[in-house]
């Protein structure tokens, strides 16, 4: 079976061909040109599909909340304008005749990790991705939990500080305002004399400065607050904590040292791990579901 996979983000549309063993071959990417709107994105995806021969399935992992039964983007922020309501599955199927599966990108990555990665064989786990915001996916009883309107898992918008910082969602005090990678970068650059990016923050010369180290440790405490809430709600046996910033060992080591002291004994079976599939998790997870169509 040949599955053509897409990962539609705010900056790039990545794509690749998946073989029957779910290995991704011939990977490539084009700019999303999100400002041209959702319709234009799907038209360009269809153009790419038409360049390939004998494709059996199309798998789409995309930004936005997705009704995956019907392959419709039910909500998207203005990162991709005019994407809300886009009937991605039927647009692609009507034009190409190829059965298509569509799912939200964090959910797709969770599916990838569940079937081939860090959470292989784990029945109850949560994925959190720390980036510009915080993405979440909830995997319970061996399947994704989608909620009543296909939108469950917005863990970045749990409110952890009443009356706190203004969030892009319109709320205040959301988890991602305090615990995302962007939140750390903002906090550190308030105390650093030179502008630092996420990678530079963890370089020896910077992390050893007490004022920077203190911001990092405060940020990790915020991450832990959210994790403890999530663990008490879902009692998962694993949390897969991803995002580029998680490559820094310091973060996961400190979380691991601190979190168990904050949990009731019967929740301490939870393991905090990093993802295994990296940036391809979403495409591989969506491909796995597409193969079952
Ligand atoms: Zn929010």
């Amino acid at each position: 079976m040949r599955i053509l996979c897409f990962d539609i983000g705010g900056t790039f549309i990545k794509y690749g061909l998946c073989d029957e063993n779910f290995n991704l071959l011939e990977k490539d990417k084009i700019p999303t040109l999100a400002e041209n709107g959702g319709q234009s994105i799907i038209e360009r995806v269809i153009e790419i599909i038409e360049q390939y021969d004998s494709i059996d399935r199309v798998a789409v992992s995309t930004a936005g909340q997705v009704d995956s039964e019907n392959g419709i983007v039910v909500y998207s922020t203005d990162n991709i304008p005019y994407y809300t309501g886009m009937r991605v599955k039927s647009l692609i199927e009507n034009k190409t005749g190829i059965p298509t599966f569509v799912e939200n990108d964090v959910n797709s990555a969770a599916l990838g990790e569940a079937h081939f990665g860090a959470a292989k064989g784990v029945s109850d786990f949560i994925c959190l991705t720390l980036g510009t915001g915080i993405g979440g996916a909830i995997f319970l009883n061996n399947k994704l939990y989608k909620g009543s309107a296909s939108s469950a898992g917005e863990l970045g918008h749990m409110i952890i500080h009443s009356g706190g910082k203004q969030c892009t969602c319109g709320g205040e005090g959301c988890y991602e305002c305090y615990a995302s990678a962007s939140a750390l970068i903002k906090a550190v650059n308030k105390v650093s004399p030179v502008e630092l990016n996420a990678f530079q923050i963890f370089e020896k010369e910077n992390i050893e400065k007490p004022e920077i180290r203190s911001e990092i440790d405060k940020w990790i405490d915020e991450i832990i607050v959210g994790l403890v809430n999530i663990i008490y709600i879902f009692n998962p046996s694993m949390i897969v904590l991803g995002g580029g910033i998680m490559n820094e060992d310091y973060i996961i080591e400190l979380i691991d040292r601190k979190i168990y002291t904050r949990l009731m004994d019967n929740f301490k079976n939870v393991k905090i791990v990093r993802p295994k599939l990296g940036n391809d998790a979403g495409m591989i997870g969506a491909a796995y579901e597409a193969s079952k169509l």
Side-chain angles (χ1 to χ4, degrees):
M1 181 178 279
R2 279 159 57 91
I3 305 169
L4 194 56
C5 312
F6 292 86
D7 186 349
I8 301 173
T11 314
F12 288 108
I13 301 171
K14 295 183 242 170
Y15 58 99
L17 192 58
C18 221
D19 67 14
E20 62 276 11
N21 297 318
F22 300 99
N23 296 308
L24 261 185
L25 319 162
E26 299 177 30
K27 283 192 278 181
D28 207 345
K29 64 180 178 182
I30 57 171
T32 306
L33 307 178
E35 64 278 13
N36 294 345
Q39 183 77 31
S40 146
I41 290 171
I42 301 308
E43 282 165 10
R44 290 161 69 227
V45 164
I46 291 169
E47 278 171 27
I48 292 169
I49 298 169
E50 286 173 339
Q51 289 164 17
Y52 283 81
D53 292 323
S54 34
I55 296 297
D56 301 298
R57 300 284 185 274
V58 171
V60 180
S61 161
T62 180
Q65 296 164 10
V66 175
D67 163 4
S68 54
E69 291 284 302
N70 299 302
I72 299 171
V73 176
V74 294
Y75 180 77
S76 164
T77 63
D78 285 342
N79 286 345
I80 303 180
Y82 307 108
Y83 201 32
T84 299
M86 191 64 56
R87 306 180 76 85
V88 177
K89 177 182 164 78
S90 55
L91 284 169
I92 294 174
E93 288 183 343
N94 292 345
K95 198 73 203 274
T96 67
I98 304 170
T100 299
F101 176 79
V102 188
E103 180 55 280
N104 161 270
D105 47 10
V106 187
N107 282 342
S108 294
L111 289 167
E113 295 295 335
H115 296 294
F116 306 104
K120 195 172 174 186
V122 178
S123 61
D124 299 87
F125 72 94
I126 306 294
C127 275
L128 269 189
T129 308
L130 311 183
T132 313
I134 294 183
I138 302 165
F139 194 86
L140 299 176
N141 297 321
N142 292 304
K143 58 179 193 194
L144 277 177
Y145 177 74
K146 302 273 301 185
S148 61
S150 307
S151 303
E154 287 291 345
L155 302 173
H157 300 285
M158 291 189 295
I159 297 171
I160 60 167
H161 289 270
S162 174
K165 294 179 190 172
Q166 187 69 44
C167 181
T168 52
C169 74
E172 287 175 347
C174 296
Y175 189 33
E176 68 176 38
C177 300
Y178 298 86
S180 62
S182 302
L184 173 70
I185 294 166
K186 243 186 246 170
V188 166
N189 281 312
K190 277 190 186 150
V191 299
S192 169
V194 287
E195 184 85 10
L196 300 173
N197 63 31
F199 175 72
Q200 291 163 331
I201 288 170
F202 290 90
E203 283 175 340
K204 198 165 185 293
E205 64 189 273
N206 293 318
I207 195 173
E208 284 182 352
K209 289 183 184 142
E211 66 278 18
I212 290 179
R213 177 71 161 267
S214 149
E215 290 303 327
I216 296 172
D217 289 358
K218 274 194 268 177
W219 172 73
I220 289 175
D221 285 339
E222 298 283 0
I223 296 175
I224 289 173
V225 167
L227 292 179
V228 169
N229 289 339
I230 291 165
I231 291 166
Y232 281 148
I233 296 168
F234 297 108
N235 186 205
S237 60
M238 181 177 280
I239 291 186
V240 182
L241 200 50
I245 201 159
M246 289 306 300
N247 290 329
E248 304 297 337
D249 293 337
Y250 179 81
I251 305 168
I252 199 143
E253 284 166 11
L254 192 55
I255 291 173
D256 227 38
R257 263 214 320 277
K258 285 187 163 180
I259 195 161
Y260 298 102
T261 64
R262 303 279 295 272
L263 292 171
M264 289 185 238
D265 279 349
N266 50 332
F267 289 83
K268 288 182 179 170
N269 63 323
V270 64
K271 289 190 177 63
I272 316 287
V273 304
R274 287 183 279 206
K276 276 204 180 135
L277 301 183
N279 292 331
D280 294 337
M283 285 196 275
I284 294 169
Y288 179 81
E289 293 300 317
S291 74
K292 297 195 290 189
L293 293 176

